[in-house]
Amino acid sequence: MRTLTDTTALFKQKVASAWSAKADRLQSATGILLGCFLLVHLHFESSILFGKEAFYHVVQFLEGGMFSETGHGYPLLTSIFSTFLLVVVLVHAAFALRRFPAQIGQWRALRSQMQVVNHSDTRVWFWQLVSGFILFFLVPVHLYTMIATPEIGPHLSAERVYHDNAWLLYIVLLPAVVVHAMFGLYRVAVKWGISANRTGLRKLAHILVVYLMVIGLLSLGQYMMIGSELTLPIEPFRP
Amino acid sequence: MKLIYTDSLVVGAGLAGLRVAIASKERGLDTVVLSLIPAKRSHSAAAQGGMQASLGNTVKGMGDDEDVHFQDTVKGSDWGCDQDVARMFAHCAPKAVRELANWGVPWTRITKGPRQVVVNAEKVTIEEAEEAHGLINARDFGGTKKWRTCYTADGTGHSLLYAVDNKAISMDIPVHERMEALSLIHDGKRCHGVVARCLITGELIAYVAKSTTIATGGYGRIYEVSTNAIICEGVGQALALETGVAKLGNMEAVQFHPTAIVPVGILTTEGCRGDGGLLRDKDGHRFMPDYEPEKKELASRDVVSRRMTEHMRKGKGVDSPYGPHLWLDITLLGRKHVETNLREVKEICENFLGIDPAKDWIPVRPTQHYSMGGIRTDATGQSPHLKGLFSVGEAACWDMHGFNRLGGNSLAETVVGGMIIGKYVADFCEQNTLEIDTNLVESFVAKLQTEIDQLIDGEGTENPFELKQQMQRIMMDYVGIFRNGPELEKAVSELQDLLKRANALGLKCKKRHANPELVEALRVKRMLKVALTVAAGAAARTESRGAHAREDFPQRNDKDWLNRTLSSWPDANSLSPQLEYEQLDVMKMELPPGYRGYGIDNAIAHPDTEKREQQIADIISQLGPDADRHQKQAALMPFDVPESLKPKNERLSDTLNSGAGEIAK
Amino acid sequence: MSQQMAKGRTLTFSIFRYDPQMPDDKPKMVDYQIEEAPGMTVFIALNQLREQQDPSLQFDFVCRAGICGSCAMVINGMPTLACRTLTSKFADGKIKLMPLPGFELIGDLSVNTGKFMREIAERLKLWLHPKTGDDDIHRLEAPMSPEEAAKLYELERCVECGVCVSACATKQMRDTFVGAVGLMKIARFELDSRDARSADDFYHVIGNQDGVFGCMTLLGCQDNCPKDLPHMQQIAYLRRKMAVTLV
């Protein structure tokens, strides 16, 4: 016969079980959301490579230009979406923190194991850990900027990048987020058995990392060029 | 001095030992198992092919029963076995298989309908019955009339060991790992336990018990090349031998397996040939049908190994830097079969030979494989010479194998013998009290302590590794597949020289805790004594029987040698064992000596054989035509098993036949 | 045979040496030279070193055929079975041997995997919990689908060598994590139709941070397993199953 304490303990255990299942799922779900967002985000942002006009139209479309009287859209939408993303990022980070080697002993164990055993996926994960740590600080800065000054456009963004020195942020943020997100997506896929073709997935992740880095760096260069050609104060771009 | 008391002490945590421990614990007895290594690493795990039990589920096993299994086993043993024990075994084997299924073994099951198999190098389609679907399957093995070897792919021993060890864990049976038993505590009449040395700390511990069961496996490693795990060094047999009281049976009966890979001697299962694999010579010729037209590759192991050696001696072997070898060809079984049913074989070929057995032939040669001999016990597993000492599995000479063991009967012996003897061990523990004479215990601990002190602090200069290597060479060169008087005499005298030298062992590593050199030194002296019982027994036995093949005495001589060799070592300082012989009584045999159905038919008959055959015919005719096979058997040779194992075994054929009977009505 | 070409090379073994029972001993790497023989494995080499150069060298071998799982160690950064690792595999003739991380060290290359495995078996109750009833050993056995039996055997091929544990950074960081070996065995019993435990019973054991939800899918287990067990697939299966039920 089960005593009362047994039942309570069992109940607690069950709650803990349910919690850890939820935590794992939420971490994966938010990760997928953020990873997919990143894929789209970097493409939208790289539309600058097709010219200022192209980028302008992308922004106009995303900010709901067709519904606004001016035709430029509502930058407030950017603020709202950025806030949402910030929440998602915080949830993701909060759950991911479970994975961090919290104690110095854990960190040492990890480092010494990695010295003895040579395993590529563990190394990849290690870089995810490092990049995750960096992102924990940089992503909120980036999102906060978007919430506070949501105005986006070929000139406005270039101003931020070049004149406000945001490139310093982006040059670190870009590799960190690309590595973290692409290998994160790979890991989620194998973790839940979404695909059994691990080699293919890993190759895809590698290709995507290189590809996103290339378009990200090129467009960052493009903004730098545009920014360097602009004189202050900046006039927003009008097609 | 550290003392541990228990009811049932088991030395060795392989299948046989664990099964006895489980049987003891089932009766509520306190049970402790000692093992050199973690239980799941025991050599039982290496048995690939399967275990024989006459379930008769597969269509190729239809008509099989205890009688056929018994006859195959006796013929396999070349009439050297104890027929009572062979009967007990054949009767309980199906029970053990079914029990193991209940404990979690994922036996390979039968799929109904047509199935393609390879028989005698030809693809044949067999049709499995609807009713057999999902029942335990069996494959063909050497020396058997029916397909009787139950299996899980080619990891049967592994599956069994894991299931049985899991069962032991679930019953909370403690296994003291890395603990080496080095002497038996006894007073000349009764065994009281063992003195063991912890391989990590070096501490000596006395385990005092009501019953002591030795289940330490065989002594294959007295040979240089053996399929056995490197821990199968015969120390268990040496424990009994060194009491001076307990006796070892048929130590010269050493089996050579036909197909171990060259040069490392790792086994490829008999299942390779059972499933249709062939043996080929340097010309690619399939030579076995030339020698054994009836059973071909699937004659018993002693016969196939001898034929292979004969064929190589004719210059038909494939030359290699490691001497001649032959080929095992399993390419005809097809890749799918190799990759599912012979997977371990494939891994071994890939890792150790760098070949793909689905496409390449495997280099093989007969190699030491099994020890039929061991600690002589009665049918209950107890030593007739030292009360309270039991032995089971390969360590024992319970004697169901005689002079040659059939493939699939050793794995079966571990669990079947363990099941039966386990119950007798438990009975013994219930009927006897724990006797503790601390002076006696202390004297045995002190003796071992002195031996260790002598090795570490003494003036000796002999190197234990060297001595062991020389012993292994002698056994390889002079006590192999074919034996002869002069070589055996040479083996005995050279081993005696080594034993003398072993009194002057000295160590370079002076540690008293974990010290591999000390472990080696403690073992080598014990191994030498075991090796001497093998060589001396072989030299004395002037006939050929089963695996013991004398070139100078090629006939099986039932007239003079229908007996069991017993060796003991009453004088610890002597350089040779004392040999005596236990006669096998033809008049009590259910199956009197005859031709095995394979090998050379050259036996010198025993005078009683004809008499007994007549007697058997009379008994059968007296029973009348209505007597069933059980009644006939009971009239010829009644045997006993523990009460709970007495019921008859149900078979698919029983239900199928009764179904057919009803239709006929 | 291709093994011949390797004949006569001098191999350099760099071996971790430490005896935790010697008060003054400190962990160190010691180099040994040995002449390579055809078909030499790390098993053969280590035994030769012990017999000819240093009789105190500790390591574990039992079956020397890749079956028993005793001899796992880290060979040039790869945790694997030493008995079936051919020295010819290493082109530069330099072989570095480390004991498996994450286990109690007995000395040099010998670690106590047995103790670990017994503890995990007791903790996770890694044995068949049979349904009551069909256990009469004198009668015809209960049928089982041949496919199920084959699948069970696939998962049962684990030899408890400890490679998956030492190759798992998660396990190294979190001592209470059950590791791949525990999860794989649970998957094996979960699949077994003879086992009486319900999904719920398994969740109590591994549906938590120390179980399947603690795994970070680093896949050191899958990549190093000497038996090529499908860790990735099985652990993903358990995770999906548990996540669905534990809503």
Side-chain angles (χ1 to χ4, degrees), chain B residues 41, chain C residues 72 79 99-107 110-117 120 160-167 171-172 175 181:
Chain B
R41 314 230 183 280
Chain C
L100 282 189
F103 293 95
E104 178 187 307
L105 183 77
I106 291 173
S110 171
V111 292
N112 207 335
T113 48
K115 188 174 157 194
F116 176 95
M117 295 298 168
I120 201 119
E160 297 192 354
C161 61
V163 160
C164 60
V165 173
S166 69
K171 174 71 194 167
Q172 305 292 316
D175 196 39
V181 60

PDB file of all heavy atoms in Angstrom, chain B residues 41, chain C residues 72 79 99-107 110-117 120 160-167 171-172 175 181:
ATOM      1  N   ARG B  41      30.776  -9.986 -18.799  1.00  0.00           N
ATOM      2  CA  ARG B  41      31.947 -10.138 -19.671  1.00  0.00           C
ATOM      3  C   ARG B  41      32.422 -11.595 -19.721  1.00  0.00           C
ATOM      4  O   ARG B  41      33.423 -11.905 -20.358  1.00  0.00           O
ATOM      5  CB  ARG B  41      33.091  -9.279 -19.166  1.00  0.00           C
ATOM      6  CG  ARG B  41      32.707  -7.862 -18.798  1.00  0.00           C
ATOM      7  CD  ARG B  41      33.641  -6.872 -19.442  1.00  0.00           C
ATOM      8  NE  ARG B  41      33.389  -5.502 -19.082  1.00  0.00           N
ATOM      9  CZ  ARG B  41      32.438  -4.753 -19.621  1.00  0.00           C
ATOM     10  NH1 ARG B  41      31.622  -5.268 -20.521  1.00  0.00           N
ATOM     11  NH2 ARG B  41      32.280  -3.499 -19.267  1.00  0.00           N
TER      12      ARG B  41
ATOM     13  N   ALA C  72      37.578  -1.446 -23.613  1.00  0.00           N
ATOM     14  CA  ALA C  72      37.422  -0.120 -24.201  1.00  0.00           C
ATOM     15  C   ALA C  72      38.419   0.856 -23.581  1.00  0.00           C
ATOM     16  O   ALA C  72      38.643   0.839 -22.372  1.00  0.00           O
ATOM     17  CB  ALA C  72      35.994   0.375 -23.996  1.00  0.00           C
ATOM     18  N   PRO C  79      37.331   6.671 -28.408  1.00  0.00           N
ATOM     19  CA  PRO C  79      37.032   5.600 -27.460  1.00  0.00           C
ATOM     20  C   PRO C  79      36.585   4.370 -28.243  1.00  0.00           C
ATOM     21  O   PRO C  79      35.652   4.463 -29.037  1.00  0.00           O
ATOM     22  CB  PRO C  79      35.872   6.144 -26.624  1.00  0.00           C
ATOM     23  CG  PRO C  79      35.554   7.492 -27.165  1.00  0.00           C
ATOM     24  CD  PRO C  79      36.286   7.699 -28.446  1.00  0.00           C
ATOM     25  N   PRO C  99      42.766   5.945 -20.477  1.00  0.00           N
ATOM     26  CA  PRO C  99      41.633   5.189 -19.948  1.00  0.00           C
ATOM     27  C   PRO C  99      40.328   5.913 -20.294  1.00  0.00           C
ATOM     28  O   PRO C  99      40.341   7.121 -20.530  1.00  0.00           O
ATOM     29  CB  PRO C  99      41.877   5.210 -18.438  1.00  0.00           C
ATOM     30  CG  PRO C  99      42.710   6.423 -18.201  1.00  0.00           C
ATOM     31  CD  PRO C  99      43.547   6.624 -19.433  1.00  0.00           C
ATOM     32  N   LEU C 100      39.230   5.190 -20.315  1.00  0.00           N
ATOM     33  CA  LEU C 100      37.939   5.805 -20.593  1.00  0.00           C
ATOM     34  C   LEU C 100      37.639   6.856 -19.539  1.00  0.00           C
ATOM     35  O   LEU C 100      37.672   6.548 -18.347  1.00  0.00           O
ATOM     36  CB  LEU C 100      36.823   4.756 -20.525  1.00  0.00           C
ATOM     37  CG  LEU C 100      36.616   3.802 -21.680  1.00  0.00           C
ATOM     38  CD1 LEU C 100      35.327   3.026 -21.450  1.00  0.00           C
ATOM     39  CD2 LEU C 100      36.570   4.515 -23.011  1.00  0.00           C
ATOM     40  N   PRO C 101      37.327   8.083 -19.952  1.00  0.00           N
ATOM     41  CA  PRO C 101      36.934   9.069 -18.945  1.00  0.00           C
ATOM     42  C   PRO C 101      35.535   8.757 -18.399  1.00  0.00           C
ATOM     43  O   PRO C 101      34.741   8.089 -19.062  1.00  0.00           O
ATOM     44  CB  PRO C 101      36.939  10.390 -19.721  1.00  0.00           C
ATOM     45  CG  PRO C 101      36.843  10.029 -21.154  1.00  0.00           C
ATOM     46  CD  PRO C 101      37.363   8.631 -21.309  1.00  0.00           C
ATOM     47  N   GLY C 102      35.271   9.218 -17.201  1.00  0.00           N
ATOM     48  CA  GLY C 102      33.929   9.078 -16.642  1.00  0.00           C
ATOM     49  C   GLY C 102      33.725   7.830 -15.811  1.00  0.00           C
ATOM     50  O   GLY C 102      32.626   7.567 -15.344  1.00  0.00           O
ATOM     51  N   PHE C 103      34.767   7.011 -15.643  1.00  0.00           N
ATOM     52  CA  PHE C 103      34.639   5.822 -14.798  1.00  0.00           C
ATOM     53  C   PHE C 103      35.695   5.865 -13.697  1.00  0.00           C
ATOM     54  O   PHE C 103      36.715   6.536 -13.837  1.00  0.00           O
ATOM     55  CB  PHE C 103      34.842   4.539 -15.618  1.00  0.00           C
ATOM     56  CG  PHE C 103      33.762   4.295 -16.628  1.00  0.00           C
ATOM     57  CD1 PHE C 103      33.910   4.705 -17.940  1.00  0.00           C
ATOM     58  CD2 PHE C 103      32.576   3.681 -16.257  1.00  0.00           C
ATOM     59  CE1 PHE C 103      32.914   4.500 -18.872  1.00  0.00           C
ATOM     60  CE2 PHE C 103      31.577   3.468 -17.180  1.00  0.00           C
ATOM     61  CZ  PHE C 103      31.740   3.877 -18.490  1.00  0.00           C
ATOM     62  N   GLU C 104      35.435   5.098 -12.648  1.00  0.00           N
ATOM     63  CA  GLU C 104      36.413   4.984 -11.572  1.00  0.00           C
ATOM     64  C   GLU C 104      37.678   4.329 -12.131  1.00  0.00           C
ATOM     65  O   GLU C 104      37.606   3.266 -12.742  1.00  0.00           O
ATOM     66  CB  GLU C 104      35.779   4.107 -10.485  1.00  0.00           C
ATOM     67  CG  GLU C 104      36.641   3.824  -9.302  1.00  0.00           C
ATOM     68  CD  GLU C 104      35.944   2.795  -8.392  1.00  0.00           C
ATOM     69  OE1 GLU C 104      34.778   3.023  -8.018  1.00  0.00           O
ATOM     70  OE2 GLU C 104      36.578   1.770  -8.089  1.00  0.00           O
ATOM     71  N   LEU C 105      38.811   4.975 -11.901  1.00  0.00           N
ATOM     72  CA  LEU C 105      40.073   4.443 -12.428  1.00  0.00           C
ATOM     73  C   LEU C 105      40.645   3.419 -11.460  1.00  0.00           C
ATOM     74  O   LEU C 105      40.856   3.697 -10.289  1.00  0.00           O
ATOM     75  CB  LEU C 105      41.075   5.582 -12.639  1.00  0.00           C
ATOM     76  CG  LEU C 105      42.411   5.159 -13.246  1.00  0.00           C
ATOM     77  CD1 LEU C 105      42.282   4.907 -14.741  1.00  0.00           C
ATOM     78  CD2 LEU C 105      43.489   6.208 -12.992  1.00  0.00           C
ATOM     79  N   ILE C 106      40.920   2.230 -11.979  1.00  0.00           N
ATOM     80  CA  ILE C 106      41.556   1.201 -11.147  1.00  0.00           C
ATOM     81  C   ILE C 106      43.070   1.374 -11.215  1.00  0.00           C
ATOM     82  O   ILE C 106      43.765   1.254 -10.216  1.00  0.00           O
ATOM     83  CB  ILE C 106      41.123  -0.204 -11.620  1.00  0.00           C
ATOM     84  CG1 ILE C 106      39.642  -0.390 -11.289  1.00  0.00           C
ATOM     85  CG2 ILE C 106      41.965  -1.286 -10.948  1.00  0.00           C
ATOM     86  CD1 ILE C 106      39.029  -1.650 -11.852  1.00  0.00           C
ATOM     87  N   GLY C 107      43.558   1.715 -12.385  1.00  0.00           N
ATOM     88  CA  GLY C 107      44.976   1.966 -12.564  1.00  0.00           C
ATOM     89  C   GLY C 107      45.317   1.924 -14.033  1.00  0.00           C
ATOM     90  O   GLY C 107      44.812   1.070 -14.769  1.00  0.00           O
ATOM     91  N   SER C 110      42.950   0.646 -16.873  1.00  0.00           N
ATOM     92  CA  SER C 110      41.855  -0.174 -16.357  1.00  0.00           C
ATOM     93  C   SER C 110      40.846   0.685 -15.577  1.00  0.00           C
ATOM     94  O   SER C 110      41.227   1.398 -14.655  1.00  0.00           O
ATOM     95  CB  SER C 110      42.455  -1.258 -15.448  1.00  0.00           C
ATOM     96  OG  SER C 110      41.438  -1.933 -14.762  1.00  0.00           O
ATOM     97  N   VAL C 111      39.597   0.621 -16.003  1.00  0.00           N
ATOM     98  CA  VAL C 111      38.542   1.379 -15.311  1.00  0.00           C
ATOM     99  C   VAL C 111      37.431   0.431 -14.878  1.00  0.00           C
ATOM    100  O   VAL C 111      37.260  -0.644 -15.445  1.00  0.00           O
ATOM    101  CB  VAL C 111      37.940   2.483 -16.208  1.00  0.00           C
ATOM    102  CG1 VAL C 111      38.961   3.575 -16.483  1.00  0.00           C
ATOM    103  CG2 VAL C 111      37.387   1.917 -17.497  1.00  0.00           C
ATOM    104  N   ASN C 112      36.664   0.867 -13.882  1.00  0.00           N
ATOM    105  CA  ASN C 112      35.646  -0.019 -13.327  1.00  0.00           C
ATOM    106  C   ASN C 112      34.301   0.165 -14.021  1.00  0.00           C
ATOM    107  O   ASN C 112      33.362   0.741 -13.466  1.00  0.00           O
ATOM    108  CB  ASN C 112      35.522   0.219 -11.822  1.00  0.00           C
ATOM    109  CG  ASN C 112      35.032  -1.023 -11.099  1.00  0.00           C
ATOM    110  OD1 ASN C 112      34.373  -1.870 -11.703  1.00  0.00           O
ATOM    111  ND2 ASN C 112      35.354  -1.132  -9.832  1.00  0.00           N
ATOM    112  N   THR C 113      34.195  -0.368 -15.228  1.00  0.00           N
ATOM    113  CA  THR C 113      32.925  -0.265 -15.951  1.00  0.00           C
ATOM    114  C   THR C 113      31.875  -1.195 -15.345  1.00  0.00           C
ATOM    115  O   THR C 113      30.695  -0.891 -15.372  1.00  0.00           O
ATOM    116  CB  THR C 113      33.104  -0.624 -17.437  1.00  0.00           C
ATOM    117  OG1 THR C 113      33.847  -1.838 -17.522  1.00  0.00           O
ATOM    118  CG2 THR C 113      33.836   0.462 -18.178  1.00  0.00           C
ATOM    119  N   GLY C 114      32.320  -2.322 -14.794  1.00  0.00           N
ATOM    120  CA  GLY C 114      31.382  -3.308 -14.262  1.00  0.00           C
ATOM    121  C   GLY C 114      30.524  -2.728 -13.148  1.00  0.00           C
ATOM    122  O   GLY C 114      29.307  -2.912 -13.124  1.00  0.00           O
ATOM    123  N   LYS C 115      31.167  -2.034 -12.242  1.00  0.00           N
ATOM    124  CA  LYS C 115      30.463  -1.426 -11.117  1.00  0.00           C
ATOM    125  C   LYS C 115      29.432  -0.420 -11.628  1.00  0.00           C
ATOM    126  O   LYS C 115      28.275  -0.404 -11.202  1.00  0.00           O
ATOM    127  CB  LYS C 115      31.507  -0.713 -10.258  1.00  0.00           C
ATOM    128  CG  LYS C 115      31.008  -0.190  -8.954  1.00  0.00           C
ATOM    129  CD  LYS C 115      32.202   0.345  -8.163  1.00  0.00           C
ATOM    130  CE  LYS C 115      31.757   1.353  -7.132  1.00  0.00           C
ATOM    131  NZ  LYS C 115      32.904   2.107  -6.604  1.00  0.00           N
ATOM    132  N   PHE C 116      29.845   0.373 -12.593  1.00  0.00           N
ATOM    133  CA  PHE C 116      28.958   1.377 -13.176  1.00  0.00           C
ATOM    134  C   PHE C 116      27.725   0.723 -13.799  1.00  0.00           C
ATOM    135  O   PHE C 116      26.591   1.133 -13.572  1.00  0.00           O
ATOM    136  CB  PHE C 116      29.739   2.157 -14.242  1.00  0.00           C
ATOM    137  CG  PHE C 116      28.918   3.162 -14.997  1.00  0.00           C
ATOM    138  CD1 PHE C 116      28.893   4.482 -14.604  1.00  0.00           C
ATOM    139  CD2 PHE C 116      28.167   2.769 -16.099  1.00  0.00           C
ATOM    140  CE1 PHE C 116      28.116   5.409 -15.290  1.00  0.00           C
ATOM    141  CE2 PHE C 116      27.386   3.684 -16.791  1.00  0.00           C
ATOM    142  CZ  PHE C 116      27.365   5.008 -16.396  1.00  0.00           C
ATOM    143  N   MET C 117      27.950  -0.331 -14.564  1.00  0.00           N
ATOM    144  CA  MET C 117      26.847  -0.964 -15.287  1.00  0.00           C
ATOM    145  C   MET C 117      25.875  -1.646 -14.314  1.00  0.00           C
ATOM    146  O   MET C 117      24.672  -1.619 -14.514  1.00  0.00           O
ATOM    147  CB  MET C 117      27.384  -1.987 -16.296  1.00  0.00           C
ATOM    148  CG  MET C 117      28.203  -1.374 -17.413  1.00  0.00           C
ATOM    149  SD  MET C 117      27.263  -0.213 -18.432  1.00  0.00           S
ATOM    150  CE  MET C 117      28.598   0.558 -19.380  1.00  0.00           C
ATOM    151  N   ILE C 120      23.741   1.083 -12.761  1.00  0.00           N
ATOM    152  CA  ILE C 120      22.716   1.643 -13.641  1.00  0.00           C
ATOM    153  C   ILE C 120      21.590   0.628 -13.848  1.00  0.00           C
ATOM    154  O   ILE C 120      20.419   0.982 -13.914  1.00  0.00           O
ATOM    155  CB  ILE C 120      23.319   2.139 -14.974  1.00  0.00           C
ATOM    156  CG1 ILE C 120      22.379   3.138 -15.621  1.00  0.00           C
ATOM    157  CG2 ILE C 120      23.589   1.046 -15.963  1.00  0.00           C
ATOM    158  CD1 ILE C 120      22.980   4.463 -15.803  1.00  0.00           C
ATOM    159  N   GLU C 160      28.039  -3.294 -23.193  1.00  0.00           N
ATOM    160  CA  GLU C 160      28.337  -2.548 -21.955  1.00  0.00           C
ATOM    161  C   GLU C 160      29.811  -2.192 -21.840  1.00  0.00           C
ATOM    162  O   GLU C 160      30.398  -2.272 -20.762  1.00  0.00           O
ATOM    163  CB  GLU C 160      27.875  -3.343 -20.718  1.00  0.00           C
ATOM    164  CG  GLU C 160      26.374  -3.551 -20.702  1.00  0.00           C
ATOM    165  CD  GLU C 160      25.836  -4.063 -19.374  1.00  0.00           C
ATOM    166  OE1 GLU C 160      26.632  -4.364 -18.474  1.00  0.00           O
ATOM    167  OE2 GLU C 160      24.597  -4.138 -19.248  1.00  0.00           O
ATOM    168  N   CYS C 161      30.401  -1.784 -22.950  1.00  0.00           N
ATOM    169  CA  CYS C 161      31.832  -1.468 -22.931  1.00  0.00           C
ATOM    170  C   CYS C 161      32.101  -0.114 -22.300  1.00  0.00           C
ATOM    171  O   CYS C 161      33.220   0.168 -21.888  1.00  0.00           O
ATOM    172  CB  CYS C 161      32.394  -1.510 -24.347  1.00  0.00           C
ATOM    173  SG  CYS C 161      31.622  -0.323 -25.453  1.00  0.00           S
ATOM    174  N   GLY C 162      31.088   0.749 -22.256  1.00  0.00           N
ATOM    175  CA  GLY C 162      31.264   2.056 -21.622  1.00  0.00           C
ATOM    176  C   GLY C 162      31.701   3.154 -22.574  1.00  0.00           C
ATOM    177  O   GLY C 162      31.851   4.307 -22.174  1.00  0.00           O
ATOM    178  N   VAL C 163      31.891   2.810 -23.851  1.00  0.00           N
ATOM    179  CA  VAL C 163      32.316   3.811 -24.823  1.00  0.00           C
ATOM    180  C   VAL C 163      31.307   4.959 -24.908  1.00  0.00           C
ATOM    181  O   VAL C 163      31.671   6.124 -24.904  1.00  0.00           O
ATOM    182  CB  VAL C 163      32.533   3.155 -26.210  1.00  0.00           C
ATOM    183  CG1 VAL C 163      32.498   4.181 -27.318  1.00  0.00           C
ATOM    184  CG2 VAL C 163      33.863   2.415 -26.232  1.00  0.00           C
ATOM    185  N   CYS C 164      30.018   4.614 -24.943  1.00  0.00           N
ATOM    186  CA  CYS C 164      29.002   5.662 -25.101  1.00  0.00           C
ATOM    187  C   CYS C 164      29.013   6.615 -23.919  1.00  0.00           C
ATOM    188  O   CYS C 164      28.732   7.798 -24.049  1.00  0.00           O
ATOM    189  CB  CYS C 164      27.617   5.045 -25.306  1.00  0.00           C
ATOM    190  SG  CYS C 164      27.073   3.993 -23.951  1.00  0.00           S
ATOM    191  N   VAL C 165      29.336   6.088 -22.749  1.00  0.00           N
ATOM    192  CA  VAL C 165      29.354   6.921 -21.545  1.00  0.00           C
ATOM    193  C   VAL C 165      30.535   7.887 -21.599  1.00  0.00           C
ATOM    194  O   VAL C 165      30.408   9.075 -21.310  1.00  0.00           O
ATOM    195  CB  VAL C 165      29.437   6.025 -20.284  1.00  0.00           C
ATOM    196  CG1 VAL C 165      29.624   6.851 -19.044  1.00  0.00           C
ATOM    197  CG2 VAL C 165      28.187   5.170 -20.184  1.00  0.00           C
ATOM    198  N   SER C 166      31.684   7.360 -22.017  1.00  0.00           N
ATOM    199  CA  SER C 166      32.866   8.219 -22.025  1.00  0.00           C
ATOM    200  C   SER C 166      32.846   9.188 -23.199  1.00  0.00           C
ATOM    201  O   SER C 166      33.468  10.235 -23.147  1.00  0.00           O
ATOM    202  CB  SER C 166      34.131   7.369 -22.079  1.00  0.00           C
ATOM    203  OG  SER C 166      34.212   6.747 -23.328  1.00  0.00           O
ATOM    204  N   ALA C 167      32.114   8.851 -24.246  1.00  0.00           N
ATOM    205  CA  ALA C 167      32.060   9.733 -25.414  1.00  0.00           C
ATOM    206  C   ALA C 167      30.973  10.790 -25.270  1.00  0.00           C
ATOM    207  O   ALA C 167      30.767  11.592 -26.160  1.00  0.00           O
ATOM    208  CB  ALA C 167      31.814   8.908 -26.678  1.00  0.00           C
ATOM    209  N   LYS C 171      27.057  13.354 -20.122  1.00  0.00           N
ATOM    210  CA  LYS C 171      27.255  12.449 -18.992  1.00  0.00           C
ATOM    211  C   LYS C 171      28.428  12.918 -18.122  1.00  0.00           C
ATOM    212  O   LYS C 171      28.410  12.796 -16.904  1.00  0.00           O
ATOM    213  CB  LYS C 171      27.490  11.032 -19.528  1.00  0.00           C
ATOM    214  CG  LYS C 171      27.858  10.005 -18.490  1.00  0.00           C
ATOM    215  CD  LYS C 171      26.697   9.651 -17.586  1.00  0.00           C
ATOM    216  CE  LYS C 171      27.181   8.894 -16.375  1.00  0.00           C
ATOM    217  NZ  LYS C 171      26.176   8.790 -15.330  1.00  0.00           N
ATOM    218  N   GLN C 172      29.466  13.426 -18.787  1.00  0.00           N
ATOM    219  CA  GLN C 172      30.641  13.866 -18.028  1.00  0.00           C
ATOM    220  C   GLN C 172      30.295  15.057 -17.147  1.00  0.00           C
ATOM    221  O   GLN C 172      30.811  15.190 -16.049  1.00  0.00           O
ATOM    222  CB  GLN C 172      31.776  14.257 -18.977  1.00  0.00           C
ATOM    223  CG  GLN C 172      32.154  13.173 -19.967  1.00  0.00           C
ATOM    224  CD  GLN C 172      32.796  11.978 -19.310  1.00  0.00           C
ATOM    225  OE1 GLN C 172      33.650  12.110 -18.456  1.00  0.00           O
ATOM    226  NE2 GLN C 172      32.365  10.795 -19.686  1.00  0.00           N
ATOM    227  N   ASP C 175      26.629  13.941 -13.599  1.00  0.00           N
ATOM    228  CA  ASP C 175      26.888  12.585 -13.142  1.00  0.00           C
ATOM    229  C   ASP C 175      25.622  11.732 -13.041  1.00  0.00           C
ATOM    230  O   ASP C 175      25.646  10.524 -13.245  1.00  0.00           O
ATOM    231  CB  ASP C 175      27.588  12.647 -11.787  1.00  0.00           C
ATOM    232  CG  ASP C 175      28.225  11.329 -11.450  1.00  0.00           C
ATOM    233  OD1 ASP C 175      28.776  10.702 -12.373  1.00  0.00           O
ATOM    234  OD2 ASP C 175      28.144  10.911 -10.280  1.00  0.00           O
ATOM    235  N   VAL C 181      23.725   4.185 -22.602  1.00  0.00           N
ATOM    236  CA  VAL C 181      23.563   2.761 -22.313  1.00  0.00           C
ATOM    237  C   VAL C 181      22.253   2.526 -21.563  1.00  0.00           C
ATOM    238  O   VAL C 181      21.498   1.595 -21.865  1.00  0.00           O
ATOM    239  CB  VAL C 181      24.797   2.190 -21.567  1.00  0.00           C
ATOM    240  CG1 VAL C 181      25.056   2.885 -20.249  1.00  0.00           C
ATOM    241  CG2 VAL C 181      24.651   0.698 -21.347  1.00  0.00           C
TER     242      VAL C 181
END
